[in-house]
Amino acid sequence: KRQVSEIERGGEDPSSALTGSRTVFFKQGNGMTNCQVYRRDGLTAGNPLHGPAIVEQMDCTIIIPPSSTGKVDKYGNLWITQSQLASA
């Protein structure tokens, strides 16, 4: 059986993974929107990411749309939840 390791717990401040910002177009909302950009390998367990945001890693880019929130779990998975307002 493969063992999955837990990652470092970091809490509510993801700023150590912040690399800058970028203007991105979203069809919903105001069109061009400023997004925070984060390094995936810099995120720790418990870090929340409030959309709009971008998470970059070596092999993919993850978009967290406006009105959505990402949360890093203890295994490093990034769970994205859309607000009920955005889905209505």
Side-chain angles (χ1 to χ4, degrees), residues 18-54:
L18 186 64
T19 62
S21 63
R22 183 178 305 149
T23 303
V24 177
F25 178 81
F26 287 97
K27 188 174 181 179
Q28 73 275 27
N30 298 327
M32 298 305 286
T33 304
N34 191 45
C35 294
Q36 301 293 323
V37 180
Y38 297 90
R39 272 186 9 263
R40 175 72 184 260
D41 63 359
L43 296 171
T44 55
N47 285 162
L49 300 171
H50 303 286
I54 298 170

Side-chain angles (χ1 to χ4, degrees), residues 32-74:
M32 298 305 286
T33 304
N34 191 45
C35 294
Q36 301 293 323
V37 180
Y38 297 90
R39 272 186 9 263
R40 175 72 184 260
D41 63 359
L43 296 171
T44 55
N47 285 162
L49 300 171
H50 303 286
I54 298 170
V55 180
E56 297 178 326
Q57 64 185 52
M58 176 195 65
D59 57 351
C60 87
T61 300
I62 300 166
I63 304 298
I64 302 173
S67 302
S68 297
T69 302
K71 183 90 170 188
V72 182
D73 73 12
K74 65 183 180 178

